[in-house]
Amino acid sequence: MRAAVIKEWGKPLSIEDVPKPEPGPGEVLVRIHASGVCHTDIHQWKGDWSSVKYIMEKHGVRILGHEGIGVVEEVGLGVSRLRKGDRVGVPWMNSWCGACESCLSGYPHWCPHAVNTSVHVNGTHAEYAIIHEKAAPKIPKEIGDVEAAPLMCAGVTAYGAIRKLVTEARIPPGKPIAIIGAAGGLGHYAVQIAKAFGYVVLGVDVGEDRVKFVEKIGADYAIDAKSAEKFAKEKFGGVYASVVFTPKIAGYELGLMMLRPLGALVSVGLPDVKEGVIPLYPLTVVGMGIRVFGSVVGVTHEFEELFNLVVAGKVKSHITMIADLSEINTIFKELEEGKIVGRAVLKI
Ligand SMILES: [Zn+2]
Ligand SMILES: [Zn+2]
């Protein structure tokens, strides 16, 4: 099969023929038709995250990509939920144990035995990929391959974070919440999802163009970061939650400053570890009753809920680039240089 393969960390990927993977028990082989490019690909490719690099090396993983969409071509032993011809996604969560406390409490995202696409098993920037059947969401016919691809990581990560405002933070609809980094790849989904959930959405970003974009996608208030705290305090006495997508500690600082008492901080964006920690003083936690939640990607039922919103026209993908697999090095370079606004998808 044709695949984009890492030969050396951070060096151009090589498009070559490699052996097709074989589905093990419970797994399916998916013929990939579209594969979204995520900023995480860049970090993995350059070997920025040592623990991820270590696991990739240990498992001989050299193919990136965790936003794959395709059709089941072969099923492994014991597969019962999926069959040949089903159109499915291949997201970051490739498998989980199903029996540990995290899995049984509804959060396989934090299963210690989880298998991640492009980390423990080869990814989706290739003609074929494998996934455990329980982890592969079925794609509704109303959503095309290219449109579905970025939902696999960016879309579901935003969905999982907004969902926690209901399930964990218990914030009723109608309350004001802030999305920090609202114009970004994840933030623009979060604005639309939070609106669909019935929240009053303060979309925060930096610079005139990005703030205009936040307004266009439907935020109730599109605000520049420099005036966001004052606005939130004066208008609402602070927001009930700040969901932070910005990979900068400054975004976390702003998110905290915008909160009202008993507010929730939902952490999604990952600043470079060199930037330091979230400045959360015990005085703030105790005095304000602040709560903090982490949120990472999403799993099967969250995909189904997100797809319902997409099919209903409430959530749209902002795809700005569609390219052939052979153009992957150009896309990586442009993404690294911050030149791609919205999401890029490879057709395979
Ligand atoms: Zn991703
Ligand atoms: Zn588990």
Side-chain angles (χ1 to χ4, degrees):
M1 67 166 185
R2 200 163 151 252
V5 181
I6 298 178
K7 304 300 270 188
E8 251 183 277
W9 301 103
K11 293 278 157 61
L13 303 170
S14 159
I15 308 292
E16 52 189 65
D17 250 327
V18 297
K20 195 160 109 177
E22 276 175 33
E27 293 175 344
V28 295
L29 175 74
V30 181
R31 171 66 176 93
I32 300 293
H33 291 302
S35 183
V37 181
C38 177
H39 215 276
T40 295
D41 293 1
I42 305 296
H43 291 294
Q44 287 182 266
W45 167 55
K46 298 204 300 191
D48 282 348
W49 297 332
S50 56
S51 55
V52 171
K53 186 178 170 185
Y54 171 80
I55 300 168
M56 287 175 74
E57 283 190 322
K58 190 171 146 198
H59 293 271
V61 167
R62 286 292 179 272
I63 303 171
L64 298 171
H66 52 269
E67 292 188 347
I69 303 291
V71 173
V72 174
E73 204 170 281
E74 262 181 62
V75 299
L77 212 62
V79 166
S80 58
R81 183 180 153 260
L82 296 179
R83 50 186 67 179
K84 262 190 204 178
D86 280 347
R87 203 163 143 259
V88 298
V90 181
W92 180 261
M93 295 295 294
N94 196 285
S95 185
W96 50 84
C97 81
C100 72
E101 196 171 341
S102 302
C103 284
L104 291 173
S105 57
Y107 287 115
H109 319 56
W110 291 290
C111 171
H113 313 289
V115 172
N116 300 130
T117 307
S118 80
V119 180
H120 302 81
V121 291
N122 272 322
T124 59
H125 298 332
E127 283 177 331
Y128 290 92
I130 52 163
I131 183 165
H132 196 284
E133 64 162 342
K134 68 184 168 219
K138 286 189 195 175
I139 312 296
K141 62 178 185 322
E142 294 89 344
I143 309 176
D145 290 339
V146 169
E147 190 193 0
L151 300 175
M152 291 302 109
C153 180
V156 86
T157 300
Y159 184 82
I162 300 301
R163 192 179 194 271
K164 285 183 185 64
L165 300 182
V166 179
T167 59
E168 308 301 313
R170 294 172 176 273
I171 300 165
K175 300 293 191 191
I177 62 114
I179 311 282
I180 315 288
L186 278 71
H188 87 282
Y189 280 118
V191 168
Q192 302 175 69
I193 294 161
K195 277 303 294 172
F197 274 46
Y199 292 118
V200 174
V201 177
L202 283 69
V204 181
D205 217 299
V206 178
E208 204 180 320
D209 289 352
R210 294 178 75 87
V211 171
K212 268 203 187 120
F213 176 63
V214 173
E215 198 179 328
K216 207 178 103 195
I217 54 175
D220 295 285
Y221 303 95
I223 315 157
D224 195 286
K226 59 180 185 290
S227 49
E229 185 195 348
K230 190 164 177 274
F231 180 87
K233 291 273 169 67
E234 284 179 6
K235 180 94 181 161
F236 299 109
V239 290
Y240 285 73
S242 292
V243 189
V244 184
F245 292 99
T246 317
K248 293 277 166 210
I249 290 296
Y252 281 90
E253 279 170 345
L254 176 61
L256 280 169
M257 297 303 286
M258 289 176 74
L259 291 178
R260 58 188 286 128
L262 292 174
L265 181 79
V266 181
S267 167
V268 187
L270 294 174
D272 194 318
V273 284
K274 288 188 219 93
E275 274 206 37
V277 297
I278 302 174
L280 196 51
Y281 298 101
L283 193 63
T284 314
V285 181
V286 176
M288 298 264 294
I290 298 298
R291 298 164 298 156
V292 179
F293 302 96
S295 192
V296 63
V297 295
V299 292
T300 322
H301 64 282
E302 290 166 306
F303 281 110
E304 284 168 8
E305 294 163 14
L306 172 62
F307 294 159
N308 287 340
L309 297 182
V310 175
V311 170
K314 292 181 176 171
V315 176
K316 291 189 173 72
S317 295
H318 183 61
I319 296 157
T320 46
M321 197 171 197
I322 302 168
D324 184 79
L325 180 65
S326 59
E327 296 169 74
I328 193 167
N329 286 309
T330 316
I331 291 188
F332 272 27
K333 193 164 168 276
E334 290 189 9
L335 196 61
E336 196 187 3
E337 290 167 359
K339 284 187 188 157
I340 299 177
V341 184
R343 303 294 282 192
V345 177
L346 299 166
K347 287 199 93 169
I348 299 166

Short mmCIF file of all heavy atoms in Angstrom, two decimals, residues 74-136:
data_model
loop_
_atom_site.label_atom_id
_atom_site.label_comp_id
_atom_site.label_asym_id
_atom_site.label_seq_id
_atom_site.Cartn_x
_atom_site.Cartn_y
_atom_site.Cartn_z
N GLU A 74 -11.86 -5.56 5.32
CA GLU A 74 -11.69 -6.91 5.89
C GLU A 74 -12.03 -6.85 7.36
O GLU A 74 -11.75 -5.83 8.01
CB GLU A 74 -10.21 -7.32 5.79
CG GLU A 74 -9.85 -8.20 4.61
CD GLU A 74 -8.36 -8.54 4.66
OE1 GLU A 74 -7.93 -9.19 5.63
OE2 GLU A 74 -7.65 -8.11 3.74
N VAL A 75 -12.61 -7.91 7.89
CA VAL A 75 -12.88 -7.94 9.33
C VAL A 75 -12.08 -9.06 9.98
O VAL A 75 -11.92 -10.14 9.40
CB VAL A 75 -14.39 -8.09 9.65
CG1 VAL A 75 -15.18 -6.91 9.10
CG2 VAL A 75 -14.94 -9.40 9.14
N GLY A 76 -11.58 -8.81 11.19
CA GLY A 76 -10.82 -9.80 11.94
C GLY A 76 -11.75 -10.77 12.66
O GLY A 76 -12.98 -10.61 12.63
N LEU A 77 -11.13 -11.73 13.32
CA LEU A 77 -11.87 -12.76 14.05
C LEU A 77 -12.78 -12.12 15.12
O LEU A 77 -12.34 -11.23 15.85
CB LEU A 77 -10.83 -13.66 14.73
CG LEU A 77 -11.16 -15.13 14.92
CD1 LEU A 77 -11.37 -15.81 13.57
CD2 LEU A 77 -10.03 -15.82 15.69
N GLY A 78 -14.02 -12.57 15.19
CA GLY A 78 -14.91 -12.14 16.27
C GLY A 78 -15.55 -10.77 16.08
O GLY A 78 -16.25 -10.29 16.96
N VAL A 79 -15.31 -10.14 14.94
CA VAL A 79 -15.92 -8.82 14.72
C VAL A 79 -17.42 -8.99 14.48
O VAL A 79 -17.83 -9.81 13.66
CB VAL A 79 -15.26 -8.10 13.51
CG1 VAL A 79 -16.08 -6.91 13.04
CG2 VAL A 79 -13.85 -7.66 13.89
N SER A 80 -18.24 -8.23 15.24
CA SER A 80 -19.69 -8.40 15.09
C SER A 80 -20.42 -7.07 14.85
O SER A 80 -21.48 -7.04 14.24
CB SER A 80 -20.27 -9.06 16.34
OG SER A 80 -19.97 -8.27 17.47
N ARG A 81 -19.84 -5.96 15.31
CA ARG A 81 -20.53 -4.67 15.19
C ARG A 81 -20.40 -4.09 13.78
O ARG A 81 -21.30 -3.42 13.29
CB ARG A 81 -19.94 -3.69 16.22
CG ARG A 81 -20.60 -2.34 16.25
CD ARG A 81 -19.98 -1.42 17.29
NE ARG A 81 -20.16 -0.05 16.87
CZ ARG A 81 -19.25 0.69 16.28
NH1 ARG A 81 -18.04 0.21 16.05
NH2 ARG A 81 -19.52 1.92 15.90
N LEU A 82 -19.25 -4.34 13.13
CA LEU A 82 -19.02 -3.78 11.80
C LEU A 82 -18.98 -4.90 10.77
O LEU A 82 -18.70 -6.05 11.09
CB LEU A 82 -17.68 -3.02 11.77
CG LEU A 82 -17.57 -1.78 12.66
CD1 LEU A 82 -16.18 -1.17 12.53
CD2 LEU A 82 -18.64 -0.74 12.33
N ARG A 83 -19.26 -4.54 9.53
CA ARG A 83 -19.11 -5.50 8.43
C ARG A 83 -18.48 -4.84 7.22
O ARG A 83 -18.37 -3.61 7.17
CB ARG A 83 -20.45 -6.16 8.10
CG ARG A 83 -21.58 -5.18 7.89
CD ARG A 83 -22.90 -5.89 7.71
NE ARG A 83 -23.34 -6.60 8.92
CZ ARG A 83 -24.46 -7.28 9.02
NH1 ARG A 83 -25.27 -7.37 7.98
NH2 ARG A 83 -24.81 -7.89 10.14
N LYS A 84 -18.06 -5.68 6.29
CA LYS A 84 -17.42 -5.19 5.06
C LYS A 84 -18.32 -4.15 4.40
O LYS A 84 -19.53 -4.36 4.29
CB LYS A 84 -17.25 -6.36 4.08
CG LYS A 84 -15.88 -6.95 4.09
CD LYS A 84 -15.76 -7.92 2.91
CE LYS A 84 -14.68 -8.94 3.18
NZ LYS A 84 -14.56 -9.92 2.10
N GLY A 85 -17.73 -3.07 3.91
CA GLY A 85 -18.51 -2.05 3.22
C GLY A 85 -18.98 -0.92 4.12
O GLY A 85 -19.42 0.12 3.63
N ASP A 86 -18.90 -1.09 5.46
CA ASP A 86 -19.29 0.01 6.37
C ASP A 86 -18.32 1.17 6.22
O ASP A 86 -17.10 0.97 6.11
CB ASP A 86 -19.26 -0.46 7.83
CG ASP A 86 -20.50 -1.25 8.21
OD1 ASP A 86 -21.49 -1.23 7.44
OD2 ASP A 86 -20.47 -1.91 9.27
N ARG A 87 -18.86 2.39 6.22
CA ARG A 87 -18.02 3.58 6.15
C ARG A 87 -17.75 4.04 7.59
O ARG A 87 -18.68 4.30 8.35
CB ARG A 87 -18.76 4.66 5.36
CG ARG A 87 -17.85 5.68 4.76
CD ARG A 87 -18.63 6.43 3.67
NE ARG A 87 -18.23 7.80 3.71
CZ ARG A 87 -18.94 8.77 4.27
NH1 ARG A 87 -20.10 8.53 4.82
NH2 ARG A 87 -18.48 10.00 4.26
N VAL A 88 -16.46 4.09 7.95
CA VAL A 88 -16.11 4.38 9.34
C VAL A 88 -14.98 5.39 9.44
O VAL A 88 -14.31 5.70 8.45
CB VAL A 88 -15.66 3.09 10.09
CG1 VAL A 88 -16.78 2.06 10.16
CG2 VAL A 88 -14.41 2.49 9.45
N GLY A 89 -14.75 5.87 10.66
CA GLY A 89 -13.64 6.76 10.94
C GLY A 89 -12.54 6.00 11.68
O GLY A 89 -12.81 5.00 12.36
N VAL A 90 -11.31 6.48 11.52
CA VAL A 90 -10.18 5.94 12.29
C VAL A 90 -9.58 7.11 13.07
O VAL A 90 -8.73 7.85 12.57
CB VAL A 90 -9.12 5.28 11.37
CG1 VAL A 90 -7.98 4.70 12.20
CG2 VAL A 90 -9.75 4.21 10.50
N PRO A 91 -10.06 7.32 14.31
CA PRO A 91 -9.58 8.45 15.11
C PRO A 91 -8.38 8.06 15.99
O PRO A 91 -7.85 6.96 15.90
CB PRO A 91 -10.79 8.79 15.96
CG PRO A 91 -11.54 7.51 16.12
CD PRO A 91 -11.17 6.61 14.96
N TRP A 92 -7.98 9.01 16.83
CA TRP A 92 -6.84 8.84 17.75
C TRP A 92 -7.02 7.60 18.65
O TRP A 92 -6.10 6.82 18.83
CB TRP A 92 -6.73 10.11 18.61
CG TRP A 92 -5.63 10.13 19.61
CD1 TRP A 92 -5.74 9.86 20.95
CD2 TRP A 92 -4.25 10.44 19.38
NE1 TRP A 92 -4.52 10.01 21.56
CE2 TRP A 92 -3.59 10.36 20.62
CE3 TRP A 92 -3.52 10.79 18.24
CZ2 TRP A 92 -2.22 10.62 20.77
CZ3 TRP A 92 -2.15 11.05 18.38
CH2 TRP A 92 -1.52 10.96 19.63
N MET A 93 -8.21 7.43 19.23
CA MET A 93 -8.47 6.27 20.10
C MET A 93 -8.71 5.06 19.21
O MET A 93 -9.75 4.96 18.56
CB MET A 93 -9.68 6.52 21.01
CG MET A 93 -9.50 7.66 22.01
SD MET A 93 -8.24 7.37 23.26
CE MET A 93 -8.93 6.01 24.18
N ASN A 94 -7.76 4.14 19.17
CA ASN A 94 -7.83 2.98 18.28
C ASN A 94 -8.38 1.76 19.00
O ASN A 94 -8.95 0.86 18.38
CB ASN A 94 -6.43 2.70 17.73
CG ASN A 94 -6.43 1.80 16.52
OD1 ASN A 94 -6.61 0.59 16.66
ND2 ASN A 94 -6.23 2.36 15.33
N SER A 95 -8.20 1.74 20.32
CA SER A 95 -8.71 0.64 21.15
C SER A 95 -8.53 0.99 22.63
O SER A 95 -7.75 1.90 22.96
CB SER A 95 -7.96 -0.66 20.85
OG SER A 95 -8.54 -1.72 21.58
N TRP A 96 -9.29 0.30 23.49
CA TRP A 96 -9.11 0.45 24.95
C TRP A 96 -9.54 -0.87 25.58
O TRP A 96 -10.15 -1.71 24.91
CB TRP A 96 -9.93 1.63 25.48
CG TRP A 96 -11.36 1.63 25.05
CD1 TRP A 96 -12.40 0.96 25.62
CD2 TRP A 96 -11.92 2.33 23.92
NE1 TRP A 96 -13.57 1.20 24.94
CE2 TRP A 96 -13.30 2.03 23.89
CE3 TRP A 96 -11.40 3.17 22.94
CZ2 TRP A 96 -14.16 2.54 22.91
CZ3 TRP A 96 -12.24 3.68 21.99
CH2 TRP A 96 -13.61 3.38 21.97
N CYS A 97 -9.22 -1.05 26.88
CA CYS A 97 -9.42 -2.39 27.45
C CYS A 97 -10.88 -2.70 27.72
O CYS A 97 -11.32 -3.83 27.61
CB CYS A 97 -8.55 -2.58 28.70
SG CYS A 97 -9.25 -1.87 30.21
N GLY A 98 -11.64 -1.69 28.12
CA GLY A 98 -13.07 -1.90 28.40
C GLY A 98 -13.34 -2.43 29.80
O GLY A 98 -14.49 -2.59 30.19
N ALA A 99 -12.28 -2.72 30.57
CA ALA A 99 -12.49 -3.36 31.87
C ALA A 99 -11.90 -2.58 33.04
O ALA A 99 -12.17 -2.90 34.19
CB ALA A 99 -11.88 -4.76 31.84
N CYS A 100 -11.09 -1.55 32.77
CA CYS A 100 -10.46 -0.81 33.89
C CYS A 100 -11.46 0.22 34.44
O CYS A 100 -12.53 0.43 33.88
CB CYS A 100 -9.18 -0.13 33.42
SG CYS A 100 -9.47 1.28 32.34
N GLU A 101 -11.06 0.89 35.52
CA GLU A 101 -11.97 1.86 36.15
C GLU A 101 -12.29 3.03 35.21
O GLU A 101 -13.43 3.49 35.16
CB GLU A 101 -11.35 2.36 37.46
CG GLU A 101 -12.39 3.04 38.33
CD GLU A 101 -11.87 3.36 39.73
OE1 GLU A 101 -10.85 2.77 40.16
OE2 GLU A 101 -12.50 4.21 40.35
N SER A 102 -11.28 3.51 34.45
CA SER A 102 -11.53 4.61 33.50
C SER A 102 -12.55 4.18 32.46
O SER A 102 -13.53 4.90 32.19
CB SER A 102 -10.24 5.02 32.78
OG SER A 102 -9.26 5.39 33.70
N CYS A 103 -12.34 3.02 31.85
CA CYS A 103 -13.27 2.52 30.83
C CYS A 103 -14.67 2.34 31.41
O CYS A 103 -15.64 2.78 30.81
CB CYS A 103 -12.77 1.19 30.26
SG CYS A 103 -11.40 1.36 29.11
N LEU A 104 -14.74 1.71 32.58
CA LEU A 104 -16.06 1.41 33.15
C LEU A 104 -16.78 2.65 33.67
O LEU A 104 -17.99 2.64 33.84
CB LEU A 104 -15.94 0.34 34.25
CG LEU A 104 -15.56 -1.05 33.71
CD1 LEU A 104 -15.28 -2.01 34.85
CD2 LEU A 104 -16.65 -1.61 32.80
N SER A 105 -16.03 3.73 33.91
CA SER A 105 -16.72 4.95 34.35
C SER A 105 -17.03 5.86 33.15
O SER A 105 -17.38 7.02 33.32
CB SER A 105 -15.90 5.67 35.42
OG SER A 105 -14.62 5.97 34.93
N GLY A 106 -16.87 5.32 31.96
CA GLY A 106 -17.29 6.07 30.77
C GLY A 106 -16.19 6.90 30.14
O GLY A 106 -16.45 7.69 29.24
N TYR A 107 -14.96 6.75 30.62
CA TYR A 107 -13.86 7.54 30.07
C TYR A 107 -12.68 6.69 29.63
O TYR A 107 -11.60 6.74 30.22
CB TYR A 107 -13.42 8.62 31.08
CG TYR A 107 -14.42 9.75 31.17
CD1 TYR A 107 -15.14 10.00 32.35
CD2 TYR A 107 -14.66 10.56 30.07
CE1 TYR A 107 -16.07 11.04 32.41
CE2 TYR A 107 -15.59 11.59 30.12
CZ TYR A 107 -16.29 11.83 31.28
OH TYR A 107 -17.20 12.84 31.35
N PRO A 108 -12.89 5.87 28.56
CA PRO A 108 -11.76 5.09 28.04
C PRO A 108 -10.63 5.97 27.52
O PRO A 108 -9.52 5.49 27.30
CB PRO A 108 -12.39 4.27 26.90
CG PRO A 108 -13.62 5.01 26.53
CD PRO A 108 -14.11 5.68 27.78
N HIS A 109 -10.92 7.29 27.35
CA HIS A 109 -9.90 8.26 26.94
C HIS A 109 -8.65 8.15 27.82
O HIS A 109 -7.55 8.43 27.39
CB HIS A 109 -10.42 9.70 27.08
CG HIS A 109 -11.83 9.92 26.64
ND1 HIS A 109 -12.90 9.23 27.15
CD2 HIS A 109 -12.35 10.78 25.74
CE1 HIS A 109 -14.02 9.65 26.59
NE2 HIS A 109 -13.72 10.59 25.72
N TRP A 110 -8.87 7.78 29.09
CA TRP A 110 -7.75 7.71 30.04
C TRP A 110 -7.45 6.27 30.45
O TRP A 110 -6.92 6.02 31.52
CB TRP A 110 -8.02 8.60 31.25
CG TRP A 110 -7.97 10.07 30.91
CD1 TRP A 110 -6.86 10.79 30.58
CD2 TRP A 110 -9.08 10.99 30.81
NE1 TRP A 110 -7.20 12.09 30.28
CE2 TRP A 110 -8.55 12.25 30.43
CE3 TRP A 110 -10.45 10.88 31.03
CZ2 TRP A 110 -9.35 13.38 30.24
CZ3 TRP A 110 -11.24 12.01 30.84
CH2 TRP A 110 -10.70 13.24 30.46
N CYS A 111 -7.82 5.31 29.58
CA CYS A 111 -7.53 3.90 29.85
C CYS A 111 -6.02 3.69 29.79
O CYS A 111 -5.38 4.06 28.81
CB CYS A 111 -8.22 3.03 28.79
SG CYS A 111 -7.71 1.30 28.87
N PRO A 112 -5.42 3.09 30.84
CA PRO A 112 -3.96 2.88 30.80
C PRO A 112 -3.52 1.89 29.71
O PRO A 112 -2.34 1.83 29.39
CB PRO A 112 -3.62 2.36 32.20
CG PRO A 112 -4.91 2.02 32.85
CD PRO A 112 -6.03 2.68 32.11
N HIS A 113 -4.48 1.12 29.19
CA HIS A 113 -4.13 0.15 28.14
C HIS A 113 -4.59 0.63 26.75
O HIS A 113 -4.65 -0.17 25.82
CB HIS A 113 -4.77 -1.21 28.45
CG HIS A 113 -4.56 -1.64 29.87
ND1 HIS A 113 -3.33 -2.02 30.32
CD2 HIS A 113 -5.41 -1.68 30.93
CE1 HIS A 113 -3.43 -2.30 31.62
NE2 HIS A 113 -4.67 -2.10 32.01
N ALA A 114 -4.94 1.91 26.65
CA ALA A 114 -5.44 2.42 25.37
C ALA A 114 -4.39 2.30 24.27
O ALA A 114 -3.18 2.40 24.53
CB ALA A 114 -5.86 3.88 25.52
N VAL A 115 -4.88 2.07 23.05
CA VAL A 115 -4.02 2.03 21.87
C VAL A 115 -4.38 3.27 21.05
O VAL A 115 -5.55 3.53 20.80
CB VAL A 115 -4.31 0.75 21.04
CG1 VAL A 115 -3.58 0.78 19.70
CG2 VAL A 115 -3.92 -0.49 21.84
N ASN A 116 -3.37 4.06 20.67
CA ASN A 116 -3.62 5.29 19.91
C ASN A 116 -3.12 5.16 18.47
O ASN A 116 -2.01 4.71 18.24
CB ASN A 116 -2.95 6.49 20.59
CG ASN A 116 -3.46 6.74 22.00
OD1 ASN A 116 -2.68 6.88 22.93
ND2 ASN A 116 -4.77 6.75 22.17
N THR A 117 -3.99 5.59 17.55
CA THR A 117 -3.64 5.58 16.12
C THR A 117 -2.46 6.52 15.89
O THR A 117 -2.49 7.66 16.36
CB THR A 117 -4.86 6.07 15.29
OG1 THR A 117 -6.00 5.29 15.66
CG2 THR A 117 -4.59 5.93 13.80
N SER A 118 -1.47 6.06 15.19
CA SER A 118 -0.24 6.79 14.85
C SER A 118 0.77 6.84 16.00
O SER A 118 1.81 7.48 15.86
CB SER A 118 -0.50 8.20 14.30
OG SER A 118 -0.77 9.11 15.36
N VAL A 119 0.43 6.18 17.12
CA VAL A 119 1.40 6.11 18.23
C VAL A 119 1.75 4.64 18.53
O VAL A 119 2.91 4.25 18.46
CB VAL A 119 0.85 6.79 19.51
CG1 VAL A 119 1.87 6.69 20.64
CG2 VAL A 119 0.51 8.24 19.23
N HIS A 120 0.71 3.84 18.82
CA HIS A 120 0.93 2.41 19.07
C HIS A 120 0.76 1.57 17.80
O HIS A 120 1.28 0.47 17.71
CB HIS A 120 -0.05 1.88 20.13
CG HIS A 120 0.02 2.57 21.45
ND1 HIS A 120 -0.60 3.77 21.69
CD2 HIS A 120 0.65 2.24 22.59
CE1 HIS A 120 -0.37 4.14 22.93
NE2 HIS A 120 0.39 3.24 23.51
N VAL A 121 -0.08 2.07 16.88
CA VAL A 121 -0.26 1.41 15.58
C VAL A 121 -0.15 2.48 14.50
O VAL A 121 -0.42 3.66 14.74
CB VAL A 121 -1.64 0.70 15.43
CG1 VAL A 121 -1.73 -0.52 16.34
CG2 VAL A 121 -2.79 1.65 15.69
N ASN A 122 0.26 2.07 13.29
CA ASN A 122 0.44 3.03 12.20
C ASN A 122 -0.83 3.81 11.92
O ASN A 122 -1.95 3.32 12.11
CB ASN A 122 0.92 2.32 10.94
CG ASN A 122 2.44 2.20 10.91
OD1 ASN A 122 3.15 3.12 11.33
ND2 ASN A 122 2.94 1.06 10.46
N GLY A 123 -0.66 5.06 11.45
CA GLY A 123 -1.77 5.98 11.25
C GLY A 123 -2.41 5.94 9.87
O GLY A 123 -2.23 4.98 9.10
N THR A 124 -3.12 7.02 9.57
CA THR A 124 -4.05 7.02 8.43
C THR A 124 -3.55 7.78 7.19
O THR A 124 -4.29 7.89 6.23
CB THR A 124 -5.39 7.64 8.86
OG1 THR A 124 -5.15 8.98 9.34
CG2 THR A 124 -6.04 6.84 9.97
N HIS A 125 -2.32 8.29 7.22
CA HIS A 125 -1.77 8.91 6.00
C HIS A 125 -1.25 7.77 5.11
O HIS A 125 -0.06 7.70 4.77
CB HIS A 125 -0.67 9.92 6.32
CG HIS A 125 -1.12 11.08 7.16
ND1 HIS A 125 -2.41 11.55 7.15
CD2 HIS A 125 -0.45 11.88 8.03
CE1 HIS A 125 -2.51 12.57 7.98
NE2 HIS A 125 -1.35 12.78 8.53
N ALA A 126 -2.16 6.87 4.75
CA ALA A 126 -1.81 5.65 4.01
C ALA A 126 -3.09 5.09 3.39
O ALA A 126 -4.19 5.50 3.76
CB ALA A 126 -1.23 4.62 4.97
N GLU A 127 -2.93 4.14 2.48
CA GLU A 127 -4.11 3.57 1.84
C GLU A 127 -4.94 2.68 2.78
O GLU A 127 -6.14 2.51 2.60
CB GLU A 127 -3.70 2.77 0.59
CG GLU A 127 -3.36 3.68 -0.58
CD GLU A 127 -2.88 2.94 -1.81
OE1 GLU A 127 -2.28 1.85 -1.68
OE2 GLU A 127 -3.10 3.46 -2.92
N TYR A 128 -4.28 2.13 3.79
CA TYR A 128 -4.99 1.25 4.74
C TYR A 128 -4.58 1.53 6.17
O TYR A 128 -3.43 1.91 6.44
CB TYR A 128 -4.70 -0.22 4.43
CG TYR A 128 -5.33 -0.71 3.14
CD1 TYR A 128 -4.63 -0.66 1.95
CD2 TYR A 128 -6.64 -1.21 3.14
CE1 TYR A 128 -5.21 -1.08 0.76
CE2 TYR A 128 -7.22 -1.64 1.96
CZ TYR A 128 -6.50 -1.58 0.77
OH TYR A 128 -7.09 -2.00 -0.39
N ALA A 129 -5.53 1.32 7.09
CA ALA A 129 -5.22 1.40 8.52
C ALA A 129 -6.10 0.39 9.24
O ALA A 129 -7.15 -0.01 8.73
CB ALA A 129 -5.49 2.81 9.04
N ILE A 130 -5.66 -0.04 10.43
CA ILE A 130 -6.51 -0.93 11.21
C ILE A 130 -7.00 -0.22 12.47
O ILE A 130 -6.38 0.71 12.97
CB ILE A 130 -5.79 -2.26 11.61
CG1 ILE A 130 -4.44 -1.97 12.28
CG2 ILE A 130 -5.64 -3.19 10.43
CD1 ILE A 130 -3.91 -3.16 13.04
N ILE A 131 -8.15 -0.71 12.96
CA ILE A 131 -8.73 -0.16 14.19
C ILE A 131 -9.60 -1.23 14.82
O ILE A 131 -10.16 -2.09 14.12
CB ILE A 131 -9.56 1.12 13.88
CG1 ILE A 131 -10.10 1.75 15.19
CG2 ILE A 131 -10.70 0.87 12.89
CD1 ILE A 131 -10.61 3.16 15.05
N HIS A 132 -9.71 -1.19 16.17
CA HIS A 132 -10.63 -2.12 16.84
C HIS A 132 -12.05 -1.67 16.52
O HIS A 132 -12.33 -0.46 16.51
CB HIS A 132 -10.40 -2.12 18.35
CG HIS A 132 -11.04 -3.31 19.01
ND1 HIS A 132 -12.40 -3.37 19.24
CD2 HIS A 132 -10.53 -4.49 19.43
CE1 HIS A 132 -12.68 -4.54 19.80
NE2 HIS A 132 -11.57 -5.24 19.92
N GLU A 133 -12.93 -2.62 16.27
CA GLU A 133 -14.29 -2.25 15.83
C GLU A 133 -15.02 -1.35 16.83
O GLU A 133 -15.81 -0.50 16.43
CB GLU A 133 -15.12 -3.50 15.51
CG GLU A 133 -15.41 -4.39 16.69
CD GLU A 133 -16.58 -5.34 16.40
OE1 GLU A 133 -17.36 -5.08 15.47
OE2 GLU A 133 -16.72 -6.34 17.13
N LYS A 134 -14.76 -1.51 18.13
CA LYS A 134 -15.50 -0.70 19.12
C LYS A 134 -15.10 0.78 19.06
O LYS A 134 -15.84 1.64 19.51
CB LYS A 134 -15.30 -1.24 20.53
CG LYS A 134 -13.89 -1.10 21.08
CD LYS A 134 -13.78 -1.75 22.45
CE LYS A 134 -12.31 -1.86 22.84
NZ LYS A 134 -11.99 -3.10 23.51
N ALA A 135 -13.92 1.05 18.48
CA ALA A 135 -13.41 2.43 18.46
C ALA A 135 -13.72 3.17 17.17
O ALA A 135 -13.46 4.37 17.06
CB ALA A 135 -11.91 2.42 18.70
N ALA A 136 -14.26 2.45 16.18
CA ALA A 136 -14.48 3.05 14.86
C ALA A 136 -15.92 3.56 14.72
O ALA A 136 -16.85 2.77 14.62
CB ALA A 136 -14.20 2.02 13.77
#
